[in-house]
Amino acid sequence: MNLADVLVSDAQQKTIELPIGEGGSNASVDVYLRKLPFSLVFDAKDEKGNAVGGNELIAKRVAHCYVDKEGNPIFTEAQLLGDDVKVVPADVVIALHEVIVEENNLGKIYGNLLMKMNSGANSLSTESAEKR
């Protein structure tokens, strides 16, 4: 395999389940997904260079990844955060983000990072305790 083969530029079509309407019913929806850029994996930045996390990071991820057939974003961050006349319901935003997490292996990435952080902290704690 050539390393250049990992580069992705086109959106991929996917059918996902989304909560639609009252009563907890779901509907199958066809979407186009762009891969998540590395800049949105851990800590994103806003226009002023300030760190963004929580709901704002989720909104940035969803706004970036969900596009139309031509690759144009279909949501704005304001719509996802509820700061627009047209608002995406919170349960839909969460479901859309869960697809991004799954499609981009974020659970695996974060899990590996936490394991490394914990194993490093444990070895340091053990080492410090032994020196005492």
Side-chain angles (χ1 to χ4, degrees):
M1 175 184 209
N2 185 336
L3 186 56
D5 293 339
V6 302
L7 297 174
V8 178
S9 61
D10 295 332
Q12 303 295 316
Q13 186 173 8
K14 182 170 181 61
T15 301
I16 63 172
E17 293 288 319
L18 288 179
I20 304 294
E22 299 296 320
S25 59
N26 286 343
S28 293
V29 180
D30 290 330
V31 297
Y32 289 90
L33 282 172
R34 277 194 292 207
K35 283 291 186 182
L36 190 67
F38 186 67
S39 64
L40 295 177
V41 171
F42 296 106
D43 297 318
K45 305 275 185 210
D46 65 13
E47 308 78 48
K48 297 176 185 173
N50 299 317
V52 173
N55 293 342
E56 289 81 12
L57 180 56
I58 289 172
K60 283 188 173 302
R61 287 175 176 170
V62 172
H64 173 83
C65 291
Y66 288 89
V67 295
D68 63 17
K69 198 181 238 183
E70 288 76 37
N72 302 308
I74 58 174
F75 301 114
T76 65
E77 290 176 38
Q79 290 170 327
L80 296 162
L81 292 169
D83 298 333
D84 194 301
V85 175
K86 293 182 179 179
V87 174
V88 181
D91 56 345
V92 174
V93 175
I94 292 167
L96 292 169
H97 187 254
E98 287 173 354
V99 172
I100 293 169
V101 168
E102 181 181 320
E103 289 294 312
N104 291 278
N105 295 315
L106 293 184
K108 181 178 178 181
I109 291 169
Y110 291 148
N112 288 341
L113 179 63
L114 284 173
M115 283 178 50
K116 287 178 184 178
M117 288 173 59
N118 287 338
S119 66
N122 289 341
S123 65
L124 290 175
S125 299
T126 304
E127 187 177 306
S128 297
E130 289 172 358
K131 288 182 181 179
R132 291 184 204 157

